[in-house]
Amino acid sequence: MADVTIALAKGRIFEESLPLLARAGLEPVDDPEASRKLILATRRAGVRLILVRAADVPTYVQYGAADLGVAGRDLLAEHGGQGLYQPLDLGIARCRMAVAVPEGFDYAGAVRQGARLRVATKYIQTAREHFAAKGVHVDLIRLYGSMELAPLVGLADAIVDLVDTGNTLRANKLRVVEELMPISSHLIVNPASLKLKRDAIAPLIESFREAAGG
Ligand code: AMP
């Protein structure tokens, strides 16, 4: 049977994927934290996991370096999803993508007056489309992390970021003023892999579907 590679991100998606991988019979043989390996064998013969940066998962699958991947909808939206088959919402790592501003900032007023807003985010494409559709004028500033800091030090008026419990926003005296989309992790598949290795990959997609409960 053809070998199959599944790309996963370290951190929250990996942790939330573990029970799902276990139910699908795809648990890693080594503990990734302890082993520091980036390629992990699984309990299913011929199926391995690779650990990459979350934002790189769609790229690995697009180019066929991985046959399947688990990627957040935030990163799929930003990637554009070209060349990716997206058969399944796994329902894990749920949160929402939102616009947030400092508690005292009159966002609605600024938008009404047609003010040009500075928005810090790592989701440049998604944010650009969102504000363009609403007719809000923005200058987008690309950041790679700790977006919540930007409005506090005068780098931006607003941020576009992921919000789960809202604790990070509250701790930094920010509030949500708009929601862009609900986020969860999706299974993505390289379409050429699916054609060439259908016998191996189709049952894996079914295992994920059952493990995800639907
Ligand atoms: P919270 O304080 O629970 O609202 O979480 C917000 C912080 O966690 C932000 O810095 C987010 O970027 C990050 N975060 C929340 N949910 C996710 C997720 N599903 N995937 C990746 N990062 C997340």
Side-chain angles (χ1 to χ4, degrees):
M1 183 113 74
D3 282 343
V4 175
T5 300
I6 305 175
L8 287 171
K10 284 186 231 175
R12 181 170 169 184
I13 289 185
F14 188 77
E15 278 158 32
E16 295 201 20
S17 296
L18 273 177
L20 205 91
L21 291 170
R23 286 200 293 278
L26 295 168
E27 271 171 301
V29 174
D30 292 318
D31 172 1
E33 299 294 340
S35 80
R36 296 185 161 256
K37 286 183 187 164
L38 297 175
I39 301 180
L40 301 171
T42 70
R43 306 230 171 263
R44 200 185 287 211
V47 180
R48 63 182 187 167
L49 308 176
I50 60 171
L51 298 177
V52 304
R53 284 276 307 239
D56 295 335
V57 170
T59 307
Y60 275 82
V61 177
Q62 177 187 3
Y63 287 95
D67 304 294
L68 294 91
V70 175
R73 187 176 169 206
D74 51 329
L75 298 168
L76 289 169
E78 196 61 15
H79 173 272
Q82 309 93 329
L84 296 173
Y85 171 47
Q86 302 181 27
L88 197 57
D89 180 352
L90 297 171
I92 56 171
R94 283 182 193 277
C95 59
R96 52 216 162 99
M97 191 186 290
V99 182
V101 299
E103 278 167 5
F105 183 77
D106 180 10
Y107 177 75
V111 167
R112 235 186 348 261
Q113 287 162 18
R116 198 167 184 93
L117 297 175
R118 287 212 298 185
V119 180
T121 186
K122 63 175 168 187
Y123 304 108
I124 294 283
Q125 299 301 340
T126 315
R128 180 175 291 127
E129 281 165 30
H130 171 75
F131 291 111
K134 295 186 71 96
V136 178
H137 303 290
V138 291
D139 288 320
L140 295 168
I141 300 173
R142 182 188 298 277
L143 290 179
Y144 294 92
S146 301
M147 260 76 74
E148 294 87 355
L149 182 62
L152 307 183
V153 294
L155 180 60
D157 304 303
I159 60 172
V160 171
D161 195 11
L162 302 183
V163 183
D164 182 14
T165 61
N167 287 341
T168 309
L169 291 185
R170 267 190 296 280
N172 292 292
K173 297 195 163 39
L174 302 169
R175 66 187 172 96
V176 169
V177 287
E178 264 168 25
E179 297 203 358
L180 281 76
M181 60 177 96
I183 303 292
S184 55
S185 291
H186 290 240
L187 185 68
I188 58 175
V189 182
N190 178 285
S193 295
L194 182 57
K195 262 194 209 144
L196 295 169
K197 304 184 193 173
R198 181 173 283 279
D199 291 352
I201 291 177
L204 277 181
I205 296 174
E206 279 321 300
S207 297
F208 271 105
R209 196 185 303 281
E210 280 164 27

